[in-house]
Amino acid sequence: ARPAALATALAAAALLPGCNPAAAAPAPTPAEEAIPVRTAPVARGPVERPIRAAGLVAAKDEWALAFKVGGVLAAVEVREGEAVRRGQVLARLDATDLAAGVRQAREAVEKARRDAARVTALAEAESAPRQAAEDARTGLAVAEAALTAAEFNLRHATLTAPDDGWVDHRLAEPGEVVAPGRPVVQLSGQGRGFVVRAALPDRDALGLAEGAPATVTLDARPGAPLRGRVAERARSAGRGTGTYQVEIRLDPAASAGLLAGLTAKVEIARRVEAAGAVPLAAVVDGDGEDGAVFAVEGGKARRVPVRIAFLQGDRAVLAGGVEGLTRVVTEGAPRLADGRAVQVVE
């Protein structure tokens, strides 16, 4: 009886799976869970991208004053750092040589005038050829020109200040023999105020407009920025540097009392066109100028390649790729893939 009961139990156990369809079916796959994300708008329009550079303060007008002719330096009337007025005498040459040259030229003019009168009279009396009279008149004109040149050199044996300003450097001392054109006094003028000269790379100099507003901060006075405007921009790069010199004119009222040679930091306002600007957290897979952002369409993430122009604080300014997009994913963007289900949480 016991073997018969065991066989009956085994047969019943073998029939159990076929009688329970629920136990035989595979477990269902759960639906893909949506990733919660936040979005932010794409900013449109021009973007502020200031140009920053270092520069030096200088007077707008600077002169390296020299004599037209050489000679012995008789006197230097000013000291370094001294304030001067327009027309004030700065230095004088010993004018002995030049004064003698003027007297010699005057005597030559008198002689040429007498000769011309005598030969002209003879020519009118037909006692001398007409050509001789013409040559005498030419000799008189040459002598008068030589006198003009000698008087000009004598007048320029004295250096005077071309404008109100101050002496930067005294470059020669009395008793020295100075050559023509050798600077004797270096002068800065105050009539047109101060400027800041800075060197810019080509990417910043290109398209920079004269008159653009600028802010200048002196290293010696960091808490008092000065206002200015771009006054000049070089049209060719400097040799050896490849940079372009820019001159920022400072407000005369605010820059009174400055010193030439002060170091300064310059920030020039500039607006650049951009396809759009997005929070930096929205950009994924960044590689140089290439990257991507995610947009939400129909509850799914769509990966959009973009070109990055530059970074500005916590924003990425884009050169292209976001045309037609109004919002992009920020929080949750690194977890997404193209086509992934998302849920926007505002």
Side-chain angles (χ1 to χ4, degrees):
R2 182 175 299 174
L6 180 58
T8 302
L10 292 174
L15 292 174
L16 283 176
C19 298
N20 190 357
T29 303
E32 185 178 56
E33 184 180 356
I35 297 177
V37 297
R38 293 184 187 274
T39 63
V42 178
R44 304 292 183 184
V47 178
E48 294 289 344
R49 190 185 186 187
I51 299 170
R52 295 182 175 88
L56 292 175
V57 176
K60 171 60 179 174
D61 296 318
E62 296 176 329
W63 300 276
L65 300 177
F67 293 104
K68 177 183 176 296
V69 296
V72 178
L73 189 58
V76 180
E77 306 287 354
V78 291
R79 301 180 303 276
E80 290 190 0
E82 180 178 344
V84 296
R85 307 292 294 177
R86 179 192 295 269
Q88 180 178 336
V89 174
L90 306 176
R92 290 181 287 105
L93 286 177
D94 188 328
T96 303
D97 243 4
L98 298 173
V102 170
R103 289 197 300 272
Q104 183 178 355
R106 285 174 180 166
E107 294 298 330
V109 168
E110 291 301 322
K111 180 180 181 303
R113 186 173 289 122
R114 292 194 301 269
D115 292 343
R118 183 174 63 255
V119 176
T120 299
L122 292 173
E124 290 175 352
E126 298 184 351
S127 298
R130 185 175 299 277
Q131 182 179 356
E134 294 173 352
D135 290 344
R137 286 193 294 271
T138 300
L140 174 59
V142 170
E144 289 174 340
L147 175 60
T148 301
E151 291 174 339
F152 180 83
N153 289 338
L154 180 60
R155 287 197 305 272
H156 287 79
T158 301
L159 285 182
T160 58
D163 195 4
D164 297 348
W166 62 91
V167 178
D168 290 325
H169 300 289
R170 172 172 161 157
L171 304 173
E173 296 299 328
E176 293 185 37
V177 177
V178 294
R182 174 192 167 185
V184 175
V185 176
Q186 185 170 327
L187 194 71
S188 290
Q190 67 182 29
R192 293 201 290 172
F194 286 93
V195 297
V196 175
R197 297 187 176 103
L200 299 182
D202 51 5
R203 66 178 180 273
D204 290 335
L206 187 63
L208 179 63
E210 295 183 4
T215 302
V216 174
T217 304
L218 302 177
D219 290 350
R221 194 187 296 169
L226 303 174
R227 299 294 180 185
R229 290 190 175 275
V230 175
E232 296 179 9
R233 184 199 58 181
R235 295 290 178 178
S236 59
R239 292 182 179 180
T241 63
T243 57
Y244 294 78
Q245 181 165 288
V246 174
E247 189 174 277
I248 294 92
R249 180 78 61 83
L250 298 177
D251 181 6
S255 62
L258 294 184
L259 301 175
L262 293 173
T263 56
K265 294 180 177 63
V266 177
E267 183 174 294
I268 304 172
R270 182 177 61 168
R271 296 172 68 85
V272 297
E273 295 296 330
V278 299
L280 192 57
V283 180
V284 297
D285 301 333
D287 183 12
E289 295 182 353
D290 298 323
V293 296
F294 283 99
V296 178
E297 292 183 357
K300 294 184 179 297
R302 181 168 71 89
R303 187 179 186 276
V304 180
V306 295
R307 286 183 294 111
I308 303 170
F310 57 90
L311 303 182
Q312 188 181 66
D314 60 352
R315 298 196 307 169
V317 180
L318 307 178
V322 290
E323 296 81 358
L325 297 184
T326 57
R327 300 183 73 85
V328 293
V329 175
T330 54
E331 296 183 29
R335 303 169 55 195
L336 299 182
D338 196 24
R340 186 72 162 83
V342 296
Q343 179 183 359
V344 177
V345 180
E346 299 298 347

